[in-house]
Amino acid sequence: MGLAIQLAADKSIKGTCGPFGAVIVRAGKVVGEGWNRVVETQDPTAHAEIVAIRAACRKLGTHQLNGCVLYTSCEPCPMCLSAIYWARIDAVFYACISSDAATAGFDDSRIYKEVSLTPKDRSLRMTQLCRKEGRKVFRDWIANPDKQPY
């Protein structure tokens, strides 16, 4: 946890990286580090946890991080939490909570509320189109003997 907090402190000191750090560990060894690089890379998905997940996956040569633990300087946002589930990380340890991040200007409460709504009730306009054509892609995927499920 100390390394995650130190990454957050060291990388955010200039003000171009947000105050978040994350470390992924497998079998007692660090396999991925990340810090918030949203502004630096002009990538809204470059949160500390996402950057650490990408680094760990590259290092381990896999898209699944079973057997890994994530240490992060703050409770993960909804996007990062989803990525953690998709990566199949075993456990998450965090220092600060979402309300701590909110006081620093990183308030995720609106997103948490929106995600629980049906698409028609969200503030973001969402319109379904071409379901028939889209479902054909899923049927083709299901029938593909060469697919690699994840």
Side-chain angles (χ1 to χ4, degrees):
M1 182 60 78
L3 180 55
I5 294 170
Q6 193 62 52
L7 282 168
D10 291 349
K11 301 298 183 176
S12 68
I13 198 80
K14 294 179 190 173
T16 56
C17 296
F20 302 94
V23 177
I24 297 177
V25 175
R26 178 184 268 174
K29 294 182 181 178
V30 173
V31 294
E33 293 181 358
W35 53 92
N36 184 287
R37 302 183 70 198
V38 169
V39 173
E40 178 184 39
T41 62
Q42 300 175 345
D43 177 357
T45 69
H47 290 199
E49 296 89 343
I50 301 293
V51 173
I53 288 169
R54 290 173 180 162
C57 288
R58 277 192 306 274
K59 182 170 185 158
L60 298 174
T62 183
H63 61 280
Q64 293 185 347
L65 298 176
N66 306 79
C68 292
V69 174
L70 177 94
Y71 296 88
T72 182
S73 62
C74 190
E75 178 182 0
C77 76
M79 176 185 68
C80 293
L81 183 59
S82 296
I84 290 162
Y85 278 109
W86 278 112
R88 293 171 175 75
I89 291 172
D90 290 356
V92 176
F93 297 92
Y94 57 95
C96 296
I97 60 174
S98 61
S99 61
D100 298 325
T103 62
F106 302 94
D107 189 355
D108 299 328
S109 61
R110 180 183 65 85
I111 299 170
Y112 278 110
K113 289 175 190 166
E114 288 281 317
V115 167
S116 68
L117 299 173
T118 63
K120 70 177 180 59
D121 293 325
R122 293 181 183 145
S123 63
L124 175 66
R125 190 177 108 204
M126 297 183 71
T127 305
Q128 183 183 27
L129 300 172
C130 304
R131 183 174 183 216
K132 180 180 175 183
E133 295 84 352
R135 290 182 72 195
K136 181 183 181 319
V137 176
F138 283 126
R139 286 192 304 276
D140 292 346
W141 166 260
I142 292 166
N144 183 348
D146 297 324
K147 69 180 173 278
Q148 293 188 13
Y150 56 94

